[in-house]
Amino acid sequence: SQTIHQWPATLVQPVGSPLSLECTVEGTSNPNLYWYRQAAGRGLQLLFYSVGIGQISSEVPQNLSASRPQDRQFILSSKKLLLSDSSFYLCAWKHPGTANTGELFFGEGSRLTVL
Amino acid sequence: GENVEQHPSTLSVQEGDSAVIKCTYSDSASNYFPWYKQELGKRPQLIIDIRSNVGEKKDQRIAVTLNKTAKHFSLHITETQPEDSAVYFCAASRSGGSNYKLTFGKGTLLTVNP
């Protein structure tokens, strides 16, 4: 069976510090990978998605970047955090070849607080 | 791009009553409409979805209806139970082009009072 792991679960960082959130998927190959941000009252906002190693599509220009160094690894980064980066970040994956349909499987999320 | 509006933002019902959550979408090419449920402190999970070639789909106490002409779709929960309390998200996506992403609504916090 497939599983998704996301860490760290919680993170408190000072303004201007770097960020690295990691996500790995097990039990499948070449998954479509996603980073979402969930702010209170604002739903699930797609930040980045990837359909293959090194292939990153950005949906929202901002202080964050994403990378996919391995097939089942997806990393969300920032060089300098802003207060506005405080949020709940969710990694998700989908089976390849499902086009625009198919279930999104979410990780347990990472709560980031920037002070 | 696609824009999905969801209403209401909060909904409180008595146990046993029905609950209806409505969403509208802007992209007439959207053809896939899933609903996700997020219980407090947990990850969102798919509960039901519908494709544009179908007008209604049911799964036990949950049903989704789609009106392509009006570009809106709704989630119906009958005989609500306290465990139905959660945030519900609708979403829409289209095939072709950047067909790998879902656009979500802002969510509805459903509270079922015993």
Side-chain angles (χ1 to χ4, degrees):
Chain A
S1 63
Q2 301 90 0
T3 57
I4 179 170
H5 302 283
Q6 184 179 344
W7 71 94
T10 59
L11 194 60
V12 180
Q13 292 286 97
V15 170
S17 65
L19 170 73
S20 180
L21 300 179
E22 296 196 29
C23 174
T24 60
V25 180
E26 298 177 355
T28 188
S29 296
N30 197 31
N32 294 339
L33 296 171
Y34 306 81
W35 278 110
Y36 281 88
R37 178 167 60 193
Q38 184 176 18
R42 297 188 62 184
L44 294 164
Q45 181 188 34
L46 178 63
L47 301 176
F48 302 94
Y49 68 93
S50 171
V51 299
I53 296 175
Q55 301 179 54
I56 308 295
S57 296
S58 174
E59 289 299 304
V60 183
Q62 56 202 323
N63 188 41
L64 301 170
S65 62
S67 61
R68 184 171 179 172
Q70 300 181 42
D71 181 43
R72 291 168 291 175
Q73 184 183 24
F74 206 25
I75 299 172
L76 183 68
S77 304
S78 174
K79 292 182 179 179
K80 290 185 177 182
L81 284 169
L82 306 172
L83 287 173
S84 57
D85 292 324
S86 294
S87 194
F88 188 58
Y89 293 87
L90 286 159
C91 181
W93 74 275
K94 192 154 71 80
H95 284 289
T98 53
N100 68 311
T101 62
E103 181 173 359
L104 265 182
F105 298 93
F106 286 90
E108 294 186 345
S110 298
R111 173 74 61 189
L112 171 65
T113 303
V114 182
L115 302 175
Chain B
E2 175 68 276
N3 183 49
V4 177
E5 299 285 341
Q6 183 172 348
H7 300 279
S9 57
T10 61
L11 179 61
S12 182
V13 301
Q14 290 299 121
E15 183 177 357
D17 289 350
S18 295
V20 180
I21 303 170
K22 299 181 179 181
C23 289
T24 60
Y25 60 98
S26 60
D27 188 349
S28 57
S30 289
N31 62 352
Y32 177 65
F33 308 93
W35 288 85
Y36 284 78
K37 174 184 179 182
Q38 185 178 29
E39 297 178 6
L40 184 62
K42 297 188 177 181
R43 70 191 82 186
Q45 291 188 301
L46 178 70
I47 54 171
I48 194 168
D49 58 12
I50 192 169
R51 304 189 186 197
S52 60
N53 59 346
V54 176
E56 183 176 5
K57 184 177 179 180
K58 291 183 179 180
D59 183 4
Q60 299 182 344
R61 296 186 296 108
I62 293 174
V64 59
T65 58
L66 171 65
N67 183 327
K68 288 189 295 182
T69 302
K71 290 191 286 188
H72 67 70
F73 57 111
S74 301
L75 178 71
H76 305 254
I77 306 175
T78 58
E79 301 174 19
T80 54
Q81 301 169 3
E83 51 264 39
D84 294 329
S85 296
V87 177
Y88 291 82
F89 293 98
C90 63
S93 72
R94 59 179 293 176
S95 60
S98 298
N99 59 9
Y100 303 102
K101 58 179 182 176
L102 285 173
T103 301
F104 284 87
K106 292 185 178 180
T108 296
L109 174 61
L110 172 64
T111 303
V112 180
N113 302 300

